[in-house]
């Protein structure tokens, strides 16, 4: 074998080792049949009970009035479930044969009437006949183990089920289709090729050869690192789309904060009165505007106070400001003075210097001096909007303003990949750290051993997102947070 052939062969061996080498032992036994109620708890017109595993069709056949052993895949069969020789319910069974099912196993879905009694009795009957109750997320877990989807896709199903807004729904759908997993797999394979070359060099250390052109390696690591950093960065937007844009409604007592939360939500959620210090706690209300979820929080008026309870409320208000994506500062138009205005802005900026701020000069309906007077006095203060919480046009204007502000926070187009999951963010952060070290190492000509170690770390963290590198512990943790029947 020529030296070149030998090199090629070794690269291939290393490549395969790196690709599969870390896959930890996972304990997965799927020889039992699981069952669970997949529809929400409680009473409904129809409920759905699912069976999955080898023998599911035989088990269902045993309790059903018709023979379904030869049913074709995806066939729905109408009949009766028998319990103790008497009919329990009239149902429709749908049959899925492995591997063409959600879990990749034989599945029977039983659509029964949604009485709590029928659901319980049917589940008991299935257990008596040999099935066991599924653990939370066990259907998805089986889908993952049987290669039906990667780990990030199973997590996207959980997000899809919990999606409350159009934006959250769109992100979950994109991730469920697997685009994120595919991109990570490509990035990971590029790194694996790279690692194979560097590690091979280590084997030939005495001969002092360089298989991998250093500048090409730096270019490759930089490219992967840039993409990993972009994805990591997108989490800020992703978590906002998924969990909602937090809007802190803040300002001095009596400025009209509670009046505004009531106007925006078109509901009487907070007490309004002309007594300064009415609101003492924070009041959070979700609203959906143009398909985006906003979490509005009314807060206690900001002032020095000797009242212990109000003092706690003010501390909470400060915390709400610090965590806000947008700050809505409400001021009484009659109380605005240049010095105090600046002071108020500085105070809020000291708590949160990144969130965009919308500043309202409220109670404009009672401003009698004419707008030129207002403009003359405060025209130099940028973005101070004279409005009234009692005016429908102003409420509409503020709704548009909030949607616009979200637009300026969100730099992404509809097809872009955006990270929404905190676990994925954490893995990307660790991968980014490792790749940065590898890049620094290459640029400073440190020994190949160290570079190879950092690259391996990067490969590991990227793989943990899709589940190419997993441990029982991690999987157990992820699927436990799923609900039963999924
Ligand atoms: N004329 C007029 N009155 C308003 C407007 N907005 C609020 N008010 C009145 O201002 C008073 C205080 O309103 P709130 O909404 O309770 O003010 P707040 O900022 O929540 O006050 P605290 O909870 O005490 O901090 C009430 O009497 C409201 O009716 C407005 O746009 N125009
Ligand atoms: Mg209030």
């Amino acid at each position: 074998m020529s030296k070149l052939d030998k090199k090629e062969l070794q690269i291939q061996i290393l490549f395969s080792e790196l690709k599969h080498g870390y896959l930890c032992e996972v304990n997965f036994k799927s020889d039992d049949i699981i069952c669970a109620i997949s529809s929400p708890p409680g009473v409904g017109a129809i409920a759905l009970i699912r069976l999955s595993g080898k023998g599911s069709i035989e088990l269902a056949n045993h309790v059903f009035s018709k023979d379904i052993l030869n049913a074709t895949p995806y066939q729905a069969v109408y009949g009766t479930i028998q319990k103790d020789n008497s009919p329990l319910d009239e149902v429709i069974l749908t049959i899925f044969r492995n591997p063409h099912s959600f879990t990749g196993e034989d599945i029977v879905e039983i659509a029964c009437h949604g009485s709590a009694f029928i659901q319980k009795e049917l589940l008991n009957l299935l257990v008596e006949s040999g099935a066991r109750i599924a653990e939370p997320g066990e259907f998805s877990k089986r889908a993952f183990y049987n290669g039906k989807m990667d780990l990030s896709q199973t997590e996207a199903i959980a997000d899809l089920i919990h999606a409350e807004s159009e934006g959250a729904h769109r992100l979950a759908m994109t991730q469920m289709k697997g685009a994120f997993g595919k991109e990570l797999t490509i990035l990971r394979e590029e790194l694996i090729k790279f690692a194979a070359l560097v590690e091979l060099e280590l084997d030939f250390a005495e001969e002092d050869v360089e298989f991998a052109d250093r500048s090409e390696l730096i270019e490759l690591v930089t490219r992967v690192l840039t993409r990993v950093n972009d994805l990591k960065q997108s989490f800020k937007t992703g978590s906002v789309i998924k969990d909602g844009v937090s809007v802190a409604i803040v300002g001095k007592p009596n400025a009209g904060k509670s009046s505004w939360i009531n106007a925006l939500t078109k509901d009487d959620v907070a007490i309004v009165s002309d007594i300064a210090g009415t609101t003492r706690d924070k009041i959070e209300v979700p609203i959906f505007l143009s398909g985006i979820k906003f979490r509005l929080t009314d807060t206690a008026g900001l002032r020095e106070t000797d009242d212990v309870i109000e003092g706690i409320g003010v501390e909470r208000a400060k915390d709400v400001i610090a965590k806000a994506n947008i700050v809505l500062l409400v001021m009484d138009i009659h109380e605005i003075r240049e010095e105090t205005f600046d002071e108020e802005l500085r105070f809020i900026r000291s708590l949160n210097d990144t969130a965009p701020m919308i500043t309202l000069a409220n109670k404009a309906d009672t401003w009698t001096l004419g707008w030129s007077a207002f403009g003359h006095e405060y025209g130099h203060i940028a973005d101070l909007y004279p409005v009234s919480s009692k005016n429908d046009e102003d409420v509409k204007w503020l709704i548009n303003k909030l949607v616009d502000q979200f637009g300026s926070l969100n730099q992404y187009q509809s097809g872009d990949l955006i990270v929404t999951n905190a676990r994925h963010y954490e893995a990307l952060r660790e991968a980014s750290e490792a790749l940065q070290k590898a890049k620094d190492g290459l640029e400073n000509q440190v020994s190949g051993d160290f570079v190879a170690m950092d690259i391996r770390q990067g490969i590991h963290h990227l793989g943990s997102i899709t589940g190419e590198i997993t441990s029982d512990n991690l999987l157990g943790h992820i699927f436990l947070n799923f609900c039963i029947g999924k």
Side-chain angles (χ1 to χ4, degrees):
M1 187 186 277
S2 76
K3 200 162 180 180
L4 200 69
D5 289 342
K6 197 171 157 206
K7 180 188 147 194
E8 267 305 312
L9 184 69
Q10 274 181 295
I11 287 178
Q12 273 174 24
I13 294 171
L14 269 169
F15 185 80
S16 140
E17 252 181 36
L18 282 165
K19 196 164 171 196
H20 304 292
Y22 309 107
L23 209 66
C24 301
E25 271 299 301
V26 277
N27 295 316
F28 177 56
K29 287 202 307 287
S30 67
D31 47 6
D32 47 359
I33 302 171
I34 51 172
C35 64
I37 302 172
S38 291
S39 43
V43 179
I46 306 282
L48 191 80
I49 295 185
R50 274 206 294 197
L51 280 166
S52 180
K54 194 160 171 252
S56 294
I57 299 173
E58 288 76 2
L59 191 154
N61 190 62
H62 178 66
V63 297
F64 194 52
S65 58
K66 289 184 186 155
D67 186 347
I68 52 164
L69 292 179
N70 298 313
T72 48
Y74 311 123
Q75 189 180 342
V77 187
Y78 168 74
T80 309
I81 294 278
Q82 299 285 348
K83 192 174 186 211
D84 303 330
N85 292 327
S86 59
L88 175 66
D89 193 14
E90 291 184 1
V91 301
I92 292 190
L93 302 193
T94 314
I95 288 108
F96 303 80
R97 291 193 184 271
N98 85 84
H100 305 291
S101 74
F102 175 73
T103 55
E105 306 169 334
D106 284 348
I107 286 187
V108 179
E109 287 187 354
I110 308 174
C112 62
H113 289 102
S115 117
F117 174 75
I118 293 177
Q119 294 182 49
K120 191 174 90 235
E121 286 296 294
L122 181 47
L123 210 55
N124 284 343
L125 177 63
L126 297 175
V127 171
E128 280 163 21
S129 309
R132 73 165 166 79
I133 303 287
E135 291 162 14
E138 200 172 356
F139 290 90
S140 303
K141 194 174 180 177
R142 289 186 173 202
F144 167 68
Y145 279 121
N146 292 325
K148 298 298 285 187
M149 53 183 77
D150 71 37
L151 203 51
S152 70
Q153 284 174 293
T154 64
E155 288 168 300
I157 298 178
D159 287 348
L160 187 68
I161 291 170
H162 293 109
E164 291 179 304
S165 66
E166 192 184 319
H169 168 257
R170 185 164 33 77
L171 292 186
M173 281 300 284
T174 311
Q175 194 171 318
M176 200 176 70
K177 281 190 206 144
F180 182 44
K182 277 193 200 113
E183 165 134 19
L184 289 174
T185 305
I186 293 169
L187 293 177
R188 199 168 155 263
E189 295 212 341
E190 289 206 58
L191 289 178
I192 288 170
K193 276 185 213 145
F194 169 96
L197 286 173
V198 175
E199 298 201 5
L200 188 64
E201 257 177 38
L202 299 176
D203 290 349
F204 284 77
E206 281 107 68
E207 296 174 38
D208 197 23
V209 285
E210 251 189 26
F211 294 130
D213 178 321
R214 281 296 176 269
S215 61
E216 274 176 31
L217 290 186
I218 292 175
E219 195 256 324
L220 188 145
V221 172
T222 309
R223 186 154 41 82
V224 177
L225 179 62
T226 308
R227 187 61 187 134
V228 167
N229 283 342
D230 285 349
L231 287 170
K232 190 183 87 178
Q233 197 68 28
S234 73
F235 179 64
K236 207 171 156 202
T237 305
S239 61
V240 165
I241 295 176
K242 189 167 138 188
D243 301 328
V245 187
S246 55
V247 181
I249 306 179
V250 299
K252 296 254 165 67
N254 241 351
K257 302 176 294 298
S258 301
S259 303
W260 271 104
I261 200 168
N262 289 349
L264 289 167
T265 55
K266 296 185 175 56
D267 200 356
D268 205 9
V269 293
I271 300 172
V272 167
S273 89
D274 58 3
I275 303 166
T278 301
T279 308
R280 294 175 157 225
D281 214 337
K282 53 180 185 180
I283 302 172
E284 187 178 303
V285 188
I287 55 167
F288 296 86
L289 308 172
S290 300
I292 305 151
K293 180 181 177 188
F294 288 84
R295 288 184 287 116
L296 306 179
T297 308
D298 182 21
T299 58
L302 298 166
R303 69 169 167 185
E304 296 285 331
T305 173
D306 293 333
D307 184 311
V308 181
I309 307 295
E310 193 183 352
I312 297 171
V314 171
E315 285 309 311
R316 289 191 179 180
K318 288 187 199 167
D319 189 48
V320 171
I321 296 172
K323 291 180 180 149
N325 298 122
I326 297 174
V327 176
L328 186 63
L329 175 59
V330 185
M331 294 171 151
D332 183 328
I333 195 166
H334 304 282
E335 306 286 329
I336 300 171
R337 305 283 176 275
E338 194 173 343
E339 325 76 64
T340 51
F341 180 84
D342 286 346
E343 198 183 303
E344 221 170 323
L345 284 196
R346 263 201 305 280
F347 177 68
I348 287 167
R349 282 290 169 231
S350 73
L351 297 166
N352 183 335
D353 60 356
T354 52
M357 203 181 321
I358 302 171
T359 318
L360 306 181
N362 192 35
K363 310 191 189 180
D365 54 312
T366 55
W367 180 261
T368 49
L369 298 177
W371 291 117
S372 57
F374 180 82
H376 177 70
E377 282 188 60
Y378 306 112
H380 62 286
I381 302 174
D383 295 336
L384 179 59
Y385 302 101
V387 288
S388 165
S389 64
K390 299 176 190 294
N391 181 327
D392 286 348
E393 287 306 311
D394 288 350
V395 176
K396 275 190 213 147
W397 168 84
L398 184 56
I399 287 176
N400 288 334
K401 189 85 191 151
L402 286 170
V403 173
D404 283 354
Q405 285 291 4
F406 168 75
S408 69
L409 290 173
N410 175 16
Q411 311 294 332
Y412 296 90
Q413 307 291 321
S414 72
D416 290 349
L417 283 182
I418 301 179
V419 175
T420 56
N421 183 306
R423 187 185 76 82
H424 300 171
Y425 170 76
E426 211 32 57
L428 286 165
R429 200 184 55 70
E430 302 221 44
S432 164
E433 247 173 50
L435 294 177
Q436 186 62 52
K437 269 199 215 156
K439 185 178 173 226
D440 294 346
L442 282 169
E443 282 169 350
N444 297 317
Q445 280 143 30
V446 307
S447 146
D449 307 37
F450 293 113
V451 176
M453 214 163 69
D454 292 331
I455 293 290
R456 272 182 182 264
Q457 281 291 317
I459 295 170
H460 172 87
H461 292 300
L462 291 183
S464 73
I465 297 176
T466 48
E468 278 161 294
I469 287 141
T470 47
S471 68
D472 262 352
N473 249 350
L474 172 71
L475 289 177
H477 180 74
I478 291 172
F479 289 110
L480 259 184
N481 291 323
F482 279 48
C483 43
I484 292 184
K486 200 160 75 199

